[in-house]
Amino acid sequence: MTFPVAVLELYPLFRWLSGVLESFGFSANTVLIISYAVLGVIMFSALSIIALFLVWWERKIAAHMQQRFGPMRHGWHGWYQTIMDAIKLLQKEDVRVASRDKIVYFWAPVICFVAAYLAYIVMPWGKNLIVADFNIGILYIMAVTTFTVIALLMAGWGSNNKYALLGGMRSAAQVVSYEIPMVASILTVILFVGSMSMVDIVTSQSGWIFNWFIFKLPFGPIAFVTYLIAATAEANRTPFDIPEAEQELVAGFNIEYSGMKFAMFFLAEFINMFTVSALAATLFLGGWNGWSFIPSWAWFLMKTFGVVFLMMLIRWTYPRLRVDQLMEFAWKFLVPVTFANLILAAVIKYAGWHW
Amino acid sequence: MGLIKKLPVYTEKMPGGGIVMTSLEAALHNAQAKSLWYLLFGTACCAIELMCTGASRYDFDRLGMIFRATPRQADLIIAAGTITKKMAPRLRLLYDQMAEPRYVIAMGGCTIKGGPFYYDSYSVEKGIDHIIPVDVYIPGCPPRPESLLEGCITLQEKIKKQSLLDWQEKD
């Protein structure tokens, strides 16, 4: 049985499934397609559960930071609140504005939803726990997560609503600006690894805690903090959530979406947050590396949820930036800092001063 | 949508369909009752009590109620405060923009019957049930947050008692 070149490490489950299917006498291609379909379903369910959990967690954190309790009535501390929300949103009427752009309006939530899930093809969840290890893994993630902007812009345009259009345009401006410092911070990591494969990035941080890139890089903490700021902006979260600023734009790009279409935007937002946090954990915090008495996927999840928790604390602590402040912060502060950091790192790497 | 709307009727006629219908009804309406997202809509002093109910001491979020700024994603209008004759068409528009199923709570005396101070005013709508259908009335001027919470729980009980066959009657 032959795999595509890109697939180096696979789930043990994948191997087991392929073996079982082969023993039934299916052809190699059929086995591959069925196995990938099963993997896709597993990833989809896991991510959906994570997104639902994150919504509940966000509400609880918000509530506790404001000295409230948050959802309390439905299950232990309201644990099935978001499941109820999802079932309710499924039942809601699908409002379609008469003056909408039909194709664009329909496909915007779909693209947003799919783009959020696409990044997990190359995400290393644990040792040997990765769907496919591309040699351009990190580039692929950067490319795919940017699809979200197109979806938000489509939602803004297709709704034929001035607030939605403003939200979409703001989102495009913001993500294009913050993409540059984000990539520049990631480049320092890639510079030292010498590979864009996610598995290589994680394995080069193995060993003890000071091999993590946040400590190992010449200016690791700076790269990490700039990445985190840019990632917060990338995920459209407060203090950078001007695309859906409630006080100015009612609800921003998703103003005309109801029911399940809105739920798709909502879930995609939380999956995007999980994606950037997982990237932060993988690139700077050692990925699934850790003491071996805890399984590697648990390390990955612990670090990722730690970063998610940090992002939620930031969200409920700081007020929203104005549009011009946002742009000034990106172009006048983040871009020079990250580029200086990148150039210094390159010089240090070239001169061989690092350990 | 025709078939989907007729589905409860056909299911009810099938053998054992009654059991399916009742359990489905319970599950679906339970979910509706447990996540009532309300519209940010406050016109007078009742809105202050509404905000207070959303804040830390009374906390709407315990019941699973969060505010949405856009009527497309809201399930519930809490009409908090005096509705003037000029505001009435806007209230109607907001109600029309909401997606089904949608509910209305009339909060305070002004929304019930013009209120204790504006009952003979030329500019005030004497009760919002002239404009939109109301599910729950909460008397008071303004009602305390406890009564608003009580009203919301009453609405939840009302939603849970609905039948899927009600869809037929609405058309």
Side-chain angles (χ1 to χ4, degrees):
Chain A
M1 136 145 232
T2 54
F3 290 112
V5 184
V7 184
L8 297 175
E9 306 201 23
L10 298 155
Y11 278 108
L13 178 84
F14 190 99
R15 299 227 169 104
W16 174 79
L17 196 69
S18 310
V20 169
L21 286 173
E22 271 188 338
S23 69
F24 280 117
F26 287 108
S27 72
N29 279 334
T30 324
V31 168
L32 205 63
I33 289 168
I34 294 176
S35 310
Y36 269 123
V38 170
L39 268 194
V41 169
I42 290 171
M43 292 294 280
F44 183 82
S45 340
L47 281 168
S48 302
I49 290 167
I50 284 175
L52 285 178
F53 169 75
L54 285 182
V55 175
W56 173 80
W57 207 31
E58 168 113 54
R59 281 172 79 167
K60 289 306 270 190
I61 288 174
H64 281 278
M65 286 185 76
Q66 296 167 353
Q67 299 197 330
R68 297 187 285 121
F69 279 109
M72 286 296 282
R73 293 295 185 92
H74 314 138
W76 180 82
H77 280 249
W79 68 269
Y80 64 80
Q81 178 63 52
T82 42
I83 300 172
M84 291 287 120
D85 286 343
I87 297 174
K88 182 212 72 178
L89 283 169
L90 269 171
Q91 297 174 68
K92 289 287 278 184
E93 180 192 1
D94 180 24
V95 177
R96 279 163 291 182
V97 200
S99 56
R100 72 196 188 275
D101 188 328
K102 282 187 180 123
I103 299 166
V104 175
Y105 182 83
F106 178 81
W107 284 104
V110 178
I111 289 177
C112 192
F113 197 60
V114 170
Y117 282 90
L118 273 180
Y120 288 89
I121 292 178
V122 294
M123 198 63 84
W125 290 78
K127 202 169 188 173
N128 295 334
L129 210 60
I130 181 169
V131 177
D133 179 26
F134 299 164
N135 54 2
I136 52 157
I138 187 74
L139 180 68
Y140 168 80
I141 288 185
M142 298 318 300
V144 152
T145 48
T146 320
F147 271 151
T148 316
V149 193
I150 302 172
L152 300 195
L153 208 52
M154 280 168 73
W157 178 260
S159 302
N160 196 6
N161 181 310
K162 54 179 177 289
Y163 295 120
L165 185 58
L166 269 175
M169 298 303 283
R170 281 181 177 195
S171 146
Q174 172 183 332
V175 173
V176 167
S177 309
Y178 279 87
E179 194 81 18
I180 296 163
M182 190 176 177
V183 170
S185 338
I186 289 174
L187 271 181
T188 54
V189 173
I190 295 172
L191 201 67
F192 277 78
V193 180
S195 162
M196 282 197 279
S197 150
M198 295 299 273
V199 172
D200 286 352
I201 290 173
V202 177
T203 46
S204 63
Q205 300 178 70
S206 60
W208 63 319
I209 188 170
F210 284 101
N211 276 359
W212 294 2
F213 278 129
I214 184 172
F215 302 117
K216 196 182 181 185
L217 288 181
F219 298 101
I222 294 178
F224 178 67
V225 169
T226 46
Y227 170 80
L228 205 62
I229 294 171
T232 315
E234 195 92 341
N236 285 337
R237 291 180 61 77
T238 325
F240 306 106
D241 72 335
I242 53 159
E244 44 192 319
E246 264 142 8
Q247 288 80 7
E248 306 155 33
L249 298 182
V250 188
F253 55 86
N254 58 27
I255 184 169
E256 294 286 5
Y257 286 90
S258 71
M260 213 48 214
K261 283 177 179 164
F262 164 68
M264 285 161 96
F265 276 120
F266 202 56
L267 285 185
E269 186 191 325
F270 277 87
I271 290 167
N272 276 335
M273 182 174 72
F274 192 75
T275 310
V276 291
S277 307
L279 264 187
T282 308
L283 291 169
F284 294 101
L285 303 179
W288 42 258
N289 286 307
W291 294 299
S292 56
F293 58 83
I294 300 175
S296 57
W297 53 268
W299 276 111
F300 174 81
L301 284 183
M302 265 158 56
K303 288 169 182 173
T304 309
F305 278 116
V307 180
V308 167
F309 184 63
L310 188 65
M311 284 176 75
M312 285 181 178
L313 289 190
I314 291 172
R315 166 160 186 175
W316 293 100
T317 307
Y318 293 109
R320 181 182 303 126
L321 267 71
R322 225 166 47 212
V323 184
D324 58 325
Q325 290 169 338
L326 190 90
M327 288 297 149
E328 272 182 21
F329 184 65
W331 290 104
K332 292 186 181 169
F333 179 74
L334 274 185
V335 168
V337 165
T338 46
F339 270 93
N341 185 21
L342 176 61
I343 292 166
L344 273 175
V347 168
I348 289 169
K349 166 84 176 170
Y350 182 72
W353 292 336
H354 68 99
W355 43 277
Chain B
M1 283 301 286
L3 184 64
I4 292 177
K5 284 200 169 174
K6 280 268 180 281
L7 206 61
V9 181
Y10 297 140
T11 319
E12 181 111 71
K13 286 174 186 164
M14 276 160 53
I19 299 168
V20 176
M21 280 288 288
T22 42
S23 32
L24 200 64
E25 264 169 21
L28 294 182
H29 290 134
N30 202 20
Q32 268 182 35
K34 284 179 176 176
S35 81
L36 279 172
W37 294 357
Y38 62 97
L39 185 69
L40 275 182
F41 182 76
T43 40
C45 35
C46 283
I48 306 295
E49 297 295 315
L50 175 62
M51 286 172 223
C52 180
T53 319
S56 23
R57 195 176 179 92
Y58 296 97
D59 193 10
F60 257 150
D61 206 6
R62 281 182 303 140
L63 308 177
M65 296 174 69
I66 50 172
F67 70 84
R68 297 305 306 172
T70 158
R72 305 278 186 214
Q73 294 151 16
D75 309 300
L76 167 67
I77 289 187
I78 300 177
T82 321
I83 301 295
T84 53
K85 289 228 159 70
K86 198 140 189 170
M87 193 68 190
R90 274 77 170 178
L91 179 61
R92 177 76 217 183
L93 181 68
L94 282 173
Y95 180 76
D96 287 341
Q97 281 179 338
M98 281 163 74
E100 291 269 5
R102 53 196 171 188
Y103 305 98
V104 178
I105 287 182
M107 179 186 179
C110 300
T111 52
I112 297 174
K113 210 67 188 170
F117 306 119
Y118 307 115
Y119 64 93
D120 55 353
S121 167
Y122 66 94
S123 64
V124 170
E125 191 66 48
K126 305 292 183 292
I128 59 163
D129 43 11
H130 298 163
I131 315 162
I132 49 178
V134 177
D135 289 288
V136 174
Y137 295 92
I138 307 171
C141 187
R144 284 185 60 83
E146 289 95 330
S147 23
L148 181 55
L149 284 174
E150 170 73 24
C152 292
I153 292 166
T154 313
L155 179 62
Q156 288 184 344
E157 297 299 321
K158 190 180 173 184
I159 293 169
K160 280 179 197 167
K161 282 175 193 155
Q162 283 177 331
S163 164
L164 283 178
L165 294 169
D166 291 348
W167 291 3
Q168 302 301 312
E169 293 160 16
K170 277 187 183 174
D171 284 348

